[in-house]
Amino acid sequence: MELISQKSIFSFNFSVLNFTDAVSAIIRLAEKKNSAYICVSNVHMVMEAKKDVAFGMVLQHADMAVLDGMPLCWSMALLHGIKTDRIAGRHLMDAILQKCAVQQLPVYFYGGKAATLERAVSFIKKNYNGIQVVGSYSPPFRPLSDEEDLEVIRKIKESGAAIVFVALGCPKQEKWMAHMKNRIPAVMLGIGVALEVLTQQQKSTPMWMERYGLEWFFRLCKEPRRLFKRYLITNTGFVFLLLRTLLSKRNQGK
């Protein structure tokens, strides 16, 4: 695995690289059939990692953890003076699919409802000329047995996939990828709802809202009952942690 510069936010290491370099790094791993997993990190993921030690270890040991979310990009600038790109999941997925279509790198999709996955695969085959989709699987909404785990590994291995897009949602998808590290010879990329957004099964956030870090607000307006409590607690906790970290950093500099 090539060395990629990293900087810490709240004790978790994040890759410091721009969008183009992130895509290139992932493609290089895929070409080598390296077993690796990539965390596309946002505020929700960081706060989940802070309260769940086991999940924190999953994030910390990721082969790459890129910044998806302007608050994390702003934090990188405030804490380390580094300006970095926001690497949004749906844009990252789109760029990787384009590269895979050109370079004939086979892809596999794991997660999501069967109907959603079927529609997504059909959309991708139609819109990414030459793409090799070598398999997909919609797992049941329960933990897999050891036998089912082994069957999943066998199918993905036999498919020859270079990249596995994992759509289970955070933190389930990251835990699954960490569990499969060194068992599946492919790059595993956690994409959350990016598959549904990319394939137009879910409305995407307007670009101007993305630029100003308002994607959370867009989602909150769509699902206020489900997301209000989560965002109130998560976003408030994140701001508190950032202010405390900045104050500590300032005091150490005196």
Side-chain angles (χ1 to χ4, degrees):
M1 172 93 185
E2 62 185 283
L3 291 177
I4 295 173
S5 177
Q6 294 182 322
K7 290 292 183 181
S8 173
I9 298 176
F10 309 156
S11 302
F12 300 114
N13 292 326
F14 294 94
S15 305
V16 180
L17 69 182
N18 62 34
F19 185 89
T20 301
D21 289 342
V23 173
S24 297
I26 292 168
I27 292 296
R28 284 195 295 272
L29 287 173
E31 289 171 335
K32 297 173 184 175
K33 289 290 185 77
N34 282 12
S35 184
Y37 68 93
I38 317 297
C39 292
V40 183
S41 313
N42 56 18
V43 167
H44 175 231
M45 186 180 294
V46 171
M47 297 309 291
E48 284 290 322
K50 288 298 288 184
K51 71 180 184 183
D52 180 346
V53 174
F55 181 54
M57 294 298 289
V58 167
L59 177 58
Q60 188 66 3
H61 289 103
D63 294 272
M64 286 175 60
V66 298
L67 303 180
D68 175 7
M70 289 309 299
L72 289 181
C73 294
W74 296 330
S75 298
M76 185 66 75
L78 288 168
L79 294 171
H80 302 290
I82 298 172
K83 185 178 180 181
T84 186
D85 290 349
R86 180 201 174 192
I87 302 175
R90 69 185 177 97
H91 301 310
L92 180 62
M93 185 179 178
D94 173 54
I96 289 172
L97 285 170
Q98 290 184 46
K99 290 281 189 182
C100 287
V102 171
Q103 297 180 216
Q104 293 292 282
L105 291 171
V107 300
Y108 193 103
F109 295 91
Y110 183 91
K113 296 178 181 178
T116 301
L117 197 55
E118 185 179 347
R119 287 176 60 190
V121 168
S122 177
F123 178 95
I124 287 165
K125 286 181 177 179
K126 181 180 178 181
N127 289 276
Y128 295 85
N129 187 38
I131 193 76
Q132 292 185 33
V133 179
V134 293
S136 63
Y137 180 62
S138 174
F141 288 96
R142 58 168 173 77
L144 298 185
S145 66
D146 291 342
E147 292 76 13
E148 288 171 321
D149 252 357
L150 291 173
E151 182 64 9
V152 166
I153 293 167
R154 182 188 68 78
K155 284 183 176 179
I156 296 176
K157 277 185 174 180
E158 290 182 357
S159 76
I163 295 181
V164 179
F165 293 100
V166 186
L168 296 174
C170 173
K172 188 176 179 181
Q173 66 194 15
E174 287 75 26
K175 291 180 177 180
W176 184 86
M177 293 189 298
H179 177 61
M180 291 298 179
K181 175 74 183 284
N182 295 324
R183 303 174 78 189
I184 291 177
V187 175
M188 294 168 281
L189 178 64
I191 55 172
V193 298
L195 184 62
E196 295 174 49
V197 175
L198 180 70
T199 59
Q200 300 173 9
Q201 296 181 60
Q202 188 177 124
K203 191 173 181 181
S204 62
T205 309
M207 288 299 295
W208 72 268
M209 294 187 84
E210 283 192 16
R211 281 197 300 271
Y212 290 103
L214 293 173
E215 191 164 10
W216 67 272
F217 183 70
F218 177 78
R219 291 178 179 172
L220 177 62
C221 290
K222 287 174 63 182
E223 299 182 85
R225 280 189 172 184
R226 186 176 74 86
L227 296 177
F228 177 76
K229 186 176 179 181
R230 179 207 287 182
Y231 282 140
L232 177 66
I233 295 171
T234 300
N235 291 5
T236 302
F238 182 86
V239 170
F240 173 77
L241 269 177
L242 179 59
L243 291 174
R244 190 175 70 179
T245 304
L246 287 168
L247 184 59
S248 176
K249 186 179 176 69
R250 180 183 175 185
N251 289 339
Q252 288 175 7
K254 288 183 177 179

